[in-house]
Amino acid sequence: MEYTFANRMNRLKGSAVRELMALTARPEVISFAGGMPAPELFPVEGVKAATCAVLDEIGQKALQYAPTEGYVPLREKIVERMEKRLHIKTDIDHVLITSGSQQGLDFSARVFLNPGDVILVESPSYVGALNAFNACEPTYVEVPTDDYGMIPEELEKILATTENIKLIYVIPDFQNPSGKTWSMERREHFMELVNKYEIPVIEDNPYGDLRFEGEYLPSLKSMDTKDLVIFLGTMSKVFCPGLRIGWVCAPTEVLAKYNFVKQGADLQTSSIDQMVASKFMEMYDLDAHVDKIKAVYKGRRDLMLNCIKEYFPSCVEHTTPEGGLFTWITLPEGVDAGKIAPKCLEQNVAYVPGGAFYPYPGKENHFRLNYSNATEEQLVEGMKRLGKVLKAELGE
Amino acid sequence: MEYTFANRMNRLKGSAVRELMALTARPEVISFAGGMPAPELFPVEGVKAATCAVLDEIGQKALQYAPTEGYVPLREKIVERMEKRLHIKTDIDHVLITSGSQQGLDFSARVFLNPGDVILVESPSYVGALNAFNACEPTYVEVPTDDYGMIPEELEKILATTENIKLIYVIPDFQNPSGKTWSMERREHFMELVNKYEIPVIEDNPYGDLRFEGEYLPSLKSMDTKDLVIFLGTMSKVFCPGLRIGWVCAPTEVLAKYNFVKQGADLQTSSIDQMVASKFMEMYDLDAHVDKIKAVYKGRRDLMLNCIKEYFPSCVEHTTPEGGLFTWITLPEGVDAGKIAPKCLEQNVAYVPGGAFYPYPGKENHFRLNYSNATEEQLVEGMKRLGKVLKAELGE
C-alpha cells in the first residue's frame, strides 16, 4: 500500500534527542543527552499523599471530563507564582493548562503560522520547539546571539528587512541548549524592538525557577505593554514531568485561539494530574522543594564544569550556566560533533550533537551536555570517558 | 494590537458541546447534552489503590519523562483486549498511546490532510472529530447513511467521482451522535469498496465495548487485508476519561508518522496516568467493571426510550441504540432544534442541537440525547421537561 501523507509530514522526523534516548537506554551508558530532571528528587511520597487526598475529596470529579481551560485552583496557584517570581500580573482567564509546555509550542505554531511564514529563533534554539514548529512548515530566520542574548542590532536588521515575520521564539532564562541567560539590558532592548515592529513573542520559560546564583530577572511578559508576549510555563522541571502539566499565559484574544486548538487537539489535560499538582502545592511548600533541586543541580553543574577543565582538551569551550539543566560545548571550527558521538557511544557515554539545535544544517561543532540527570559518580566517570574520546580526536 | 493568525484559525470555533457544557453547569439544569460517563460508576477506590501501587513500586519512573510510544505493559494489555473483543491481531509496535482518542483524531488529520483535501464522513458525524479535522482545512463529503451504516451505493458513487479523497472517517459501533451500529453485511461491503479504491480509513471506536444486547461485531480493522484501517481506541468510556488515555493502532509506516506528530505535539501522554491504567487492569477485572457500566446504561437507555414514548409528541422520531451513550432525535422537516434549545434551557433541561454534527449547515431538525450521565430520577424529570417544551412547539 502506498500512502499519500500531508505535505507537512515531509518536514517531520523523529527528534534527535528522543531517538538518542532509545540508544542510550542500555544501563551501561552514562547519558548527558536527555533533558531529564533527577528522578531521586521527585516527591514520590508527596504525590502519593496528594493523589489520595484528591481521590478521597473529589474522586469522581478527578476521573471525569473537565473544562478545556484547566482546573481553576491550579490556574490560581500558577497566577500567584507568575506574579511572585516573574513579576507577571495576570489572572486565571489568561491562563490555559496544556499537556506540558511542549503542547504550548505546538499550539503557538498552529495559531500563528501558515506554510512559509517566518519565525525568528535564537541560534541555537530548542530542538523540540523546532520539531513542533516544523509541522506548520515555517521559514526560520536565526538571530545571532552572544553571551547576553539576541544581539539587538542583528535583530533589528532582520526585523527591518524581512517580510512576513509572524513570531519570535525565545528562551531568555538558562536557554536550551546554550545555558545562557539574557541580561536585563538586552531584555529591555528586545522589548523596545518588539514594540516597534509589533511582532508576537513566544517566551518559553521551563527552567527559570532553577537559578543557582545571581538575581532573578523579570520575564519579558512582565515588560509587555502591547499584549505581544505569550508566556509558556511548565511544572516539569520544578515538580515532575511525568504528569505533563504546562500552561500558556496570553492576551485574551490570543488565548481564545489556543483554547480552540486545545479543544480539537485533546479536549483537556488530564483532570487528575491537574488536581494532584494543585493539591501538592496546597499540602507542601513547592519553593522549598525547588530549593532542594537547585542545591543538587548547582553541585552537579560545578562538578561538570570542573570535569571539563580537568578532562577535556584545552581547545574545547563551554558556557557557564547560572541555572537550568545544560551547558553547551563548542569544538574547534570544522570539527563535527555528530561524527564523534558514535565513538562516545562505543565508550558508553552520550551527548546530543549540536546540529539538532539549528533549523538548517551547517553548524556541527557543538554539543549539549545535561548535568541534572546523573549522579555525582556517574557524572565524573562519564566526563572522563568523554574527555578520553575528545582527546583522541582533537589532541590534548 | 491587531494579530494576524494562521488561515486554519478561520475554520476553528469553540465546540458547540463544550460551550453548552458551560451553560449547563448550573446545578438546576438536567443536561442530556454532554457525552460524559456516569461518575458514580468510576472505580475511585481502585484508581487510588492502583496509584499507590504504582508510586510504591516504580514511583520515580511514574513521575519521569517516558518514551513517546507509551508504556509497554499498557500497550500489551490494549493489544490483548483488541484481539479478544475486536478480533484485531496486532502487537505493541503498532500501538501508540494518545491523550484520549480525541488526540488520535487530531493526529489523523495532521498526518493525512492538506488544505482542501477531501475527507468522507458519515452524515451526521462526531462534532469533536469535525472540530479536530477543521484545523487542517479539509473539504468534507457527507456519505448518506441509513439504519445499517453508510449506504454502499452512495459511497461508491462518491468514491468513483470525487478527486483527492484522502481519508474516510467512521464510527461503526453505537455511533456518535446517531447511536446506530453498522451491520455485518455493511462492514463487508464497506471494506470491499475501500480495498478497491485504496483509501485509508479512520475507525473510531470509543463505545464498542458498551453493547447492551445482540452480538459484538468484528471491527473494520480486523477485516483489513490491505493495511488501510487506522483504529482509534480509548479508555474514557470503560474506565474513566479524566486520565486521558487513548490509542492509535495503525500499519507500521503510518504509525511512524503519528509518532513524529506526537513528539512535536506533547512528547508523550502522562507517564503516571498510563501506569495507573495498566496497574488497574492488573489488579481488577476490567470486563467485570464494563459489565456493571453496561447494566446501568442499558437501564437508562430503556428509561429514556420509554420517556420518549410517554412524554414526546408523536411526530418525534428516535433511534434505538444497542449500546453506547446516545440516542438521536429527528423532528419534523423544517423544525430547527437549535431554536428550541434555548426554550429548553429556560426549563432547565439541555440537549445538543443536531446541526453541530454536520460539517455544513442546513440539517437542523435533529438533536442528540445522552443517557449515561443522569440518574434515573433526573432522567425522567428532564424528559418530562423536554416533552413539555416539544409539545408546546410541535403539538401533541
Side-chain angles (χ1 to χ4, degrees):
Chain A
M1 179 59 208
E2 270 205 35
Y3 304 98
T4 309
F5 298 112
N7 296 340
R8 69 181 67 82
M9 298 310 297
N10 298 331
R11 292 281 293 266
L12 291 196
K13 43 189 172 66
S15 139
V17 181
R18 288 242 139 195
E19 276 166 23
L20 212 61
M21 270 170 69
L23 281 177
T24 60
R26 284 182 292 131
E28 63 273 25
V29 174
I30 296 173
S31 176
F32 303 123
M36 292 199 271
E40 67 273 22
L41 299 174
F42 292 151
V44 175
E45 286 306 313
V47 170
K48 195 169 136 187
T51 307
C52 289
V54 164
L55 287 170
D56 287 343
E57 291 162 19
I58 44 171
Q60 291 185 4
K61 203 175 158 191
L63 304 182
Q64 185 59 290
Y65 288 112
T68 301
E69 311 84 61
Y71 184 52
V72 167
L74 176 63
R75 285 151 70 212
E76 286 169 349
K77 292 180 189 79
I78 284 170
V79 164
E80 259 176 57
R81 284 185 70 79
M82 282 197 292
E83 170 145 17
K84 197 176 68 174
R85 174 73 81 224
L86 302 154
H87 308 292
I88 296 170
K89 285 199 198 320
T90 185
D91 56 48
I92 65 163
D93 293 333
H94 294 88
V95 173
L96 166 72
I97 302 294
T98 54
S99 301
S101 58
Q102 182 71 31
Q103 189 172 55
L105 296 168
D106 180 53
F107 289 1
S108 298
R110 297 173 81 178
V111 166
F112 286 102
L113 301 178
N114 290 321
D117 280 353
V118 172
I119 176 164
L120 307 191
V121 296
E122 292 168 280
S123 182
S125 186
Y126 169 47
V127 56
L130 301 178
N131 197 33
F133 301 157
N134 278 338
C136 293
E137 303 166 86
T139 302
Y140 294 97
V141 174
E142 298 170 68
V143 182
T145 62
D146 61 19
D147 282 348
Y148 311 99
M150 277 188 173
I151 300 168
E153 295 70 27
E154 300 284 348
L155 175 60
E156 174 140 40
K157 222 184 298 171
I158 292 166
L159 287 170
T161 60
T162 311
E163 302 221 344
N164 218 20
I165 300 175
K166 292 295 174 61
L167 280 179
I168 309 177
Y169 169 67
V170 295
I171 312 171
D173 296 273
F174 322 127
Q175 200 237 17
N176 183 353
S178 72
K180 292 176 188 172
T181 297
W182 292 21
S183 70
M184 189 61 206
E185 195 197 337
R186 283 292 172 84
R187 287 168 201 247
E188 285 164 354
H189 205 147
F190 177 83
M191 287 311 297
E192 271 167 39
L193 289 173
V194 160
N195 279 340
K196 179 170 164 192
Y197 290 91
E198 295 195 336
I199 308 290
V201 173
I202 308 298
E203 179 180 23
D204 190 9
N205 190 337
Y207 319 106
D209 274 324
L210 304 178
R211 178 173 272 284
F212 312 145
E213 59 217 2
E215 292 277 302
Y216 282 96
L217 295 174
S219 60
L220 302 177
K221 177 82 183 158
S222 72
M223 308 175 174
D224 180 17
T225 53
K226 279 187 145 175
D227 274 354
L228 285 164
V229 179
I230 295 145
F231 180 92
L232 307 184
T234 177
M235 305 281 295
S236 292
K237 307 305 188 287
V238 296
F239 180 50
C240 44
L243 271 74
R244 316 300 306 119
I245 307 282
W247 69 90
V248 179
C249 176
T252 308
E253 187 187 346
V254 176
L255 198 71
K257 301 292 181 186
Y258 279 72
N259 208 308
F260 292 160
V261 174
K262 177 77 177 165
Q263 283 186 23
D266 62 3
L267 299 181
Q268 56 160 114
T269 292
S270 165
S271 310
I272 188 166
D273 288 3
Q274 294 185 66
M275 290 175 185
V276 168
S278 178
K279 179 60 78 178
F280 181 88
M281 285 192 267
E282 284 166 25
M283 294 171 68
Y284 302 93
D285 181 348
L286 185 60
D287 286 326
H289 180 66
V290 170
D291 285 342
K292 262 195 252 173
I293 296 173
K294 289 196 294 188
V296 173
Y297 290 4
K298 179 182 192 306
R300 291 181 183 173
R301 178 209 57 179
D302 291 343
L303 192 56
M304 183 169 266
L305 297 187
N306 284 338
C307 287
I308 290 174
K309 231 173 275 169
E310 192 154 348
Y311 305 123
F312 280 19
S314 56
C315 61
V316 172
E317 291 169 23
H318 66 87
T319 59
T320 301
E322 295 181 332
L325 275 62
F326 305 107
T327 181
W328 179 243
I329 302 295
T330 300
L331 304 177
E333 205 72 49
V335 176
D336 185 343
K339 289 195 174 145
I340 301 177
K343 294 173 188 168
C344 295
L345 259 178
E346 276 170 30
Q347 301 303 316
N348 291 324
V349 62
Y351 58 70
V352 186
F357 298 92
Y358 299 92
Y360 303 110
K363 303 184 192 77
E364 313 298 342
N365 63 322
H366 304 274
F367 59 86
R368 188 190 74 179
L369 290 177
N370 165 265
Y371 47 78
S372 61
N373 187 34
T375 63
E376 285 65 17
E377 222 182 333
Q378 290 170 327
L379 206 150
V380 173
E381 173 58 26
M383 292 297 283
K384 276 189 195 164
R385 292 181 196 168
L386 262 187
K388 214 167 146 191
V389 175
L390 290 173
K391 285 187 173 168
E393 292 289 316
L394 310 172
E396 291 289 322
Chain B
M1 179 57 208
E2 269 204 34
Y3 305 99
T4 309
F5 299 113
N7 296 339
R8 67 180 69 81
M9 298 311 295
N10 298 330
R11 291 282 293 265
L12 290 196
K13 43 189 172 69
S15 141
V17 181
R18 288 243 140 197
E19 277 168 21
L20 213 60
M21 270 169 69
L23 282 179
T24 60
R26 285 183 291 132
E28 63 273 25
V29 173
I30 296 174
S31 177
F32 304 124
M36 292 200 271
E40 67 273 23
L41 297 175
F42 291 153
V44 175
E45 286 306 312
V47 170
K48 194 169 139 187
T51 307
C52 289
V54 164
L55 287 170
D56 286 343
E57 291 162 19
I58 45 172
Q60 291 185 5
K61 202 175 158 191
L63 303 182
Q64 185 59 289
Y65 287 113
T68 300
E69 311 85 60
Y71 185 51
V72 169
L74 176 63
R75 285 151 71 212
E76 286 169 349
K77 291 179 190 81
I78 284 169
V79 163
E80 258 178 57
R81 284 185 71 79
M82 282 198 292
E83 170 146 16
K84 198 175 71 174
R85 173 75 80 223
L86 303 155
H87 309 293
I88 296 170
K89 284 197 199 322
T90 186
D91 56 48
I92 65 163
D93 293 333
H94 294 88
V95 172
L96 166 72
I97 302 293
T98 53
S99 301
S101 59
Q102 181 71 31
Q103 191 172 53
L105 295 169
D106 180 53
F107 289 1
S108 297
R110 297 173 81 178
V111 166
F112 285 103
L113 301 179
N114 289 322
D117 280 353
V118 172
I119 177 165
L120 307 191
V121 296
E122 292 167 280
S123 181
S125 187
Y126 169 49
V127 56
L130 301 178
N131 197 34
F133 301 158
N134 279 338
C136 292
E137 303 166 86
T139 302
Y140 294 97
V141 175
E142 297 171 69
V143 181
T145 60
D146 61 18
D147 283 348
Y148 311 100
M150 277 187 172
I151 300 168
E153 295 70 28
E154 301 283 346
L155 174 61
E156 175 140 38
K157 223 184 296 173
I158 291 166
L159 287 169
T161 59
T162 311
E163 302 219 346
N164 218 20
I165 300 175
K166 290 296 174 61
L167 279 180
I168 309 177
Y169 170 68
V170 295
I171 313 171
D173 295 272
F174 322 127
Q175 200 238 14
N176 184 352
S178 72
K180 292 175 187 174
T181 297
W182 292 20
S183 70
M184 190 61 207
E185 196 196 337
R186 282 290 173 82
R187 287 168 200 247
E188 284 165 352
H189 206 148
F190 177 83
M191 288 310 297
E192 270 168 39
L193 290 173
V194 160
N195 279 340
K196 181 171 161 190
Y197 290 91
E198 294 194 337
I199 308 291
V201 173
I202 308 297
E203 179 180 23
D204 190 8
N205 190 336
Y207 318 107
D209 273 325
L210 302 178
R211 178 174 271 285
F212 311 146
E213 59 217 3
E215 293 277 301
Y216 281 97
L217 295 174
S219 62
L220 301 176
K221 177 84 182 158
S222 73
M223 307 174 174
D224 179 16
T225 53
K226 279 186 145 176
D227 274 353
L228 285 164
V229 180
I230 295 145
F231 181 92
L232 306 184
T234 178
M235 304 282 293
S236 292
K237 307 305 188 287
V238 296
F239 181 49
C240 44
L243 272 72
R244 317 299 306 122
I245 307 282
W247 69 91
V248 178
C249 176
T252 308
E253 188 187 345
V254 176
L255 198 71
K257 301 292 181 186
Y258 278 72
N259 208 308
F260 292 160
V261 174
K262 177 78 177 164
Q263 283 185 25
D266 63 3
L267 298 180
Q268 56 159 113
T269 292
S270 165
S271 309
I272 188 167
D273 288 2
Q274 294 184 65
M275 289 174 186
V276 168
S278 178
K279 181 57 80 176
F280 181 88
M281 286 192 267
E282 283 166 25
M283 294 172 68
Y284 302 94
D285 181 347
L286 185 60
D287 286 326
H289 180 65
V290 170
D291 286 343
K292 262 193 253 173
I293 297 174
K294 290 196 294 188
V296 173
Y297 290 4
K298 179 183 192 303
R300 291 182 183 173
R301 177 209 57 180
D302 291 343
L303 191 57
M304 184 170 267
L305 297 188
N306 283 338
C307 288
I308 291 175
K309 230 173 274 167
E310 192 154 347
Y311 305 122
F312 279 20
S314 56
C315 61
V316 172
E317 291 170 24
H318 67 88
T319 58
T320 302
E322 296 181 331
L325 274 63
F326 305 108
T327 182
W328 180 243
I329 302 296
T330 300
L331 304 177
E333 204 74 47
V335 176
D336 185 343
K339 291 197 173 143
I340 301 178
K343 296 175 186 169
C344 295
L345 260 178
E346 277 171 30
Q347 301 303 318
N348 291 323
V349 62
Y351 58 68
V352 186
F357 298 92
Y358 299 92
Y360 303 111
K363 302 184 192 77
E364 312 297 343
N365 63 320
H366 304 273
F367 60 85
R368 188 190 74 178
L369 290 177
N370 165 265
Y371 48 78
S372 60
N373 187 34
T375 63
E376 285 64 19
E377 222 179 334
Q378 289 170 325
L379 207 151
V380 172
E381 174 58 27
M383 291 299 281
K384 275 188 196 165
R385 292 181 197 168
L386 262 188
K388 216 168 144 190
V389 176
L390 290 174
K391 283 187 175 169
E393 292 290 316
L394 310 171
E396 291 288 321

